[in-house]
Structures are given as C-alpha cells and as structure tokens.
Amino acid sequence: MVDPFGWHEIGAEKFNEIRCKLSSFESRTWNELLVQDKKHNHSVPIDELCKIAQDRLSELGQDDIDVLVSLRLSGKERIWGIRANHVFKILWWDPDHQVCPSPKRYT
C-alpha cells in the first residue's frame, strides 16, 4: 500500500478491471501464461528489477526469492507477484511499468 507500487491509488472501477483480468488468468495454465504468452507475461530475475522494487522486497522480507512474475494487464500496466507452485502471490500493481522498465527500442 505504498508508493510507487501501491494499491492505495486504485479506485473501484480500476480494481474491478484488474480483478476481471486476473480472473481470466485463472482459467489458463502456467505454461500458457509464461511460455505461450511469454512476450507479455514472464519471470524476471530480482537483480533486473529497479532498486526501489528490490528495496521494497527486502522491507517485505521477500528478498530470499530469485524471481518475480510479471503479468501484463494492458499497455504498460503490470501485476507483479511471487509464483509458489500453483499459487500466484500478488505483490504490486505497476501501472507505469516501473518495476522493471524496458529499454526503448531503437534508442
């Protein structure tokens, strides 16, 4: 619930939109999400995350994990979490793709 990856900025309409998208992910396998759709959803090593995200993981006592999973909601918007077997433990809503910014193409 803290910046910059806080859920505290989400209104009811956006929250419902995210809930519906996550619900649609539930009908898919991890293979479908992370292999077949790897352009949009993927595991990211912790050392590739921005420093703020790495620091936040330490604050949460989650700095012992190797990777996080990024699920694309739309455009730049992502949900970040920890995959523990078949369970996705949601950490952050990343509306501006800040947790692990992609380099701009052709720059």
Side-chain angles (χ1 to χ4, degrees):
M1 297 297 241
V2 298
D3 288 326
F5 318 120
W7 293 96
H8 60 289
E9 295 184 12
I10 297 177
E13 186 175 328
K14 176 51 90 174
F15 183 80
N16 191 50
E17 180 184 318
I18 291 169
R19 186 192 58 78
C20 288
K21 183 69 173 187
L22 290 174
S23 179
S24 74
F25 288 148
E26 289 182 327
S27 66
R28 302 177 68 198
T29 66
W30 280 112
N31 183 63
E32 291 171 330
L33 287 170
L34 299 178
V35 176
Q36 293 176 12
D37 203 10
K38 68 182 174 184
K39 181 178 180 182
H40 298 297
N41 309 308
H42 46 274
S43 296
V44 178
I46 298 303
D47 62 355
E48 292 182 16
L49 304 180
C50 70
K51 176 140 176 41
I52 294 170
Q54 291 179 33
D55 291 347
R56 185 67 181 133
L57 281 173
S58 291
E59 291 171 16
L60 295 171
Q62 298 292 320
D63 53 348
D64 59 337
I65 57 174
D66 296 324
V67 299
L68 290 185
V69 173
S70 168
L71 299 176
R72 180 180 185 265
L73 299 179
S74 64
K76 295 189 289 184
E77 190 177 9
R78 305 287 186 272
I79 291 289
W80 287 87
I82 300 166
R83 179 181 171 194
N85 296 315
H86 300 296
V87 176
F88 183 64
K89 298 177 181 180
I90 298 171
L91 288 173
W92 303 309
W93 170 60
D94 182 14
D96 298 314
H97 206 280
Q98 294 178 337
V99 173
C100 184
S102 300
K104 292 184 179 182
R105 290 182 146 180
Y106 313 113
T107 60

